[in-house]
Amino acid sequence: MILIALYPGRLLDNIGRVLAPAKMLALAILGVATLLWPAGSPIPASNTYQEIPFSNGFVNGYLTMDTLGAMVFGIVIVNAARSRGVESSVLLTRYAMYAGLIAGFCLTLVYLSLFKLGEVSGTLIPTAQNGAAILHVYVQNTFGNYGSFLLAVLIFLACIGTAVGLTCACAEFFSRYLPLSYRTLVLSLGLFSMLVSNLGLSHLIAFSIPVLTAIYPPCITLILLSFTNRWWNNFTRILAPAMLVSLVFGILDAVKASEYLVHLFPTWAQYLPLAEQGLAWLMPTLLSVMVFAIYDRIIGSTKIPKHEVQQEQL
């Protein structure tokens, strides 16, 4: 992973032409196998998903980190296109949109196949602590002794592209603001990732949930509000307070989600709308957008009129 990330100019050759097709083939094999050879009978949803399925699925979707990945992978896509001589901003935007649409479609197929796999394979290991255990039992049950090898190849191919892309994006970003070279940052990030990966999936999930619960709300706010950029006289007036509010209340949700910090969760916060669903940040963020939208309309544009600019120049 580190060796590939050290040469970002070759990223398209290393991943786009070799690893990505192999990963898609491996995922296709797993998806088709899930449909053709179900390993058990459908199981009922857990109580939490029967009672509040949408909010549980929404919050647990933070663990996929697809939104965070999409925000930083834009840099990787743009750099890959530029390495092929594409410099036009219009073309770069177009290619990034195409890549996003293709990725979204493929991820939808992957998640649908995993949903189906979990539904019909949960009976194989009722005491599974996470989805990885169910996936491991399924491939062994379906493919025999070769199942573990197939799963290892699948996980490697699925993770290497993400790991390389995120390492490249983070190293390139922080190299602009820290007195460290791109190569040094790649090595540091790679070594840190190797150390953290040895904690085990269950510990990683337990650690990741409060962190992702805190940072996902401002990311979602940023993405959604970016589509309304042209609605406002001054976009910063809307975006900055909305992201701040979403972060503050996202931290409250994170404290509640952490088994080590839950005792610090303030009593008054449990009465916030959607607090039980882990979405306490949603209503305050919407309220802040409404308040500052009114403020933006009252204050108006901060741009200097064109005739005043001309007079100052004279």
Side-chain angles (χ1 to χ4, degrees), residues 190-206:
L191 293 174
F192 174 76
S193 300
M194 285 191 290
L195 292 174
V196 173
S197 65
N198 288 295
L199 293 175
L201 181 59
S202 296
H203 288 88
L204 282 175
I205 291 176

Side-chain angles (χ1 to χ4, degrees), residues 136-288:
H136 181 251
V137 171
Y138 172 79
V139 294
Q140 280 197 325
N141 179 81
T142 304
F143 299 102
N145 294 329
Y146 298 100
S148 297
F149 175 76
L150 174 64
L151 182 61
V153 172
L154 177 62
I155 292 176
F156 173 79
L157 293 175
C159 295
I160 188 66
T162 304
V164 171
L166 288 175
T167 302
C168 290
C170 291
E172 181 167 343
F173 175 81
F174 287 111
S175 64
R176 302 175 185 175
Y177 303 99
L178 297 177
L180 297 173
S181 66
Y182 174 85
R183 183 179 295 269
T184 301
L185 287 169
V186 167
L187 293 173
S188 301
L189 291 169
L191 293 174
F192 174 76
S193 300
M194 285 191 290
L195 292 174
V196 173
S197 65
N198 288 295
L199 293 175
L201 181 59
S202 296
H203 288 88
L204 282 175
I205 291 176
F207 173 78
S208 300
I209 286 177
V211 176
L212 294 175
T213 302
I215 64 178
Y216 244 88
C219 292
I220 295 173
T221 302
L222 172 62
I223 293 173
L224 293 179
L225 286 180
S226 66
F227 292 102
T228 69
N229 186 11
R230 298 184 179 181
W231 295 5
W232 322 108
N233 294 309
N234 188 329
F235 183 51
T236 305
R237 292 176 186 160
I238 310 299
L239 181 64
M243 290 190 64
L244 177 61
V245 170
S246 63
L247 176 61
V248 170
F249 285 91
I251 292 175
L252 287 178
D253 283 332
V255 171
K256 180 182 177 182
S258 173
E259 58 180 300
Y260 303 106
L261 301 176
V262 66
H263 63 281
L264 300 176
F265 186 71
T267 305
W268 59 266
Q270 64 184 343
Y271 299 108
L272 291 170
L274 301 178
E276 288 295 324
Q277 290 77 23
L279 297 171
W281 62 272
L282 184 57
M283 296 307 294
T285 303
L286 290 175
L287 181 61
S288 71

Side-chain angles (χ1 to χ4, degrees), residues 9-26:
R10 302 178 186 175
L11 199 61
L12 190 61
D13 294 330
N14 294 329
I15 294 182
R17 295 182 179 179
V18 180
L19 295 179
K23 175 174 66 176
M24 294 178 69
L25 177 61

Side-chain angles (χ1 to χ4, degrees), residues 14-96:
N14 294 329
I15 294 182
R17 295 182 179 179
V18 180
L19 295 179
K23 175 174 66 176
M24 294 178 69
L25 177 61
L27 289 172
I29 293 174
L30 179 63
V32 172
T34 302
L35 296 176
L36 297 181
W37 304 300
S41 57
I43 58 175
S46 60
N47 292 333
T48 54
Y49 279 95
Q50 289 181 8
E51 296 171 359
I52 41 178
F54 176 79
S55 59
N56 270 290
F58 187 85
V59 173
N60 286 323
Y62 293 170
L63 293 174
T64 65
M65 293 192 288
D66 289 334
T67 300
L68 299 179
M71 294 181 68
V72 298
F73 265 103
I75 300 174
V76 178
I77 295 171
V78 170
N79 288 340
R82 283 177 174 168
S83 69
R84 288 297 182 269
V86 180
E87 295 295 339
S88 171
S89 59
V90 175
L91 290 177
L92 290 173
T93 302
R94 182 183 303 171
Y95 293 150

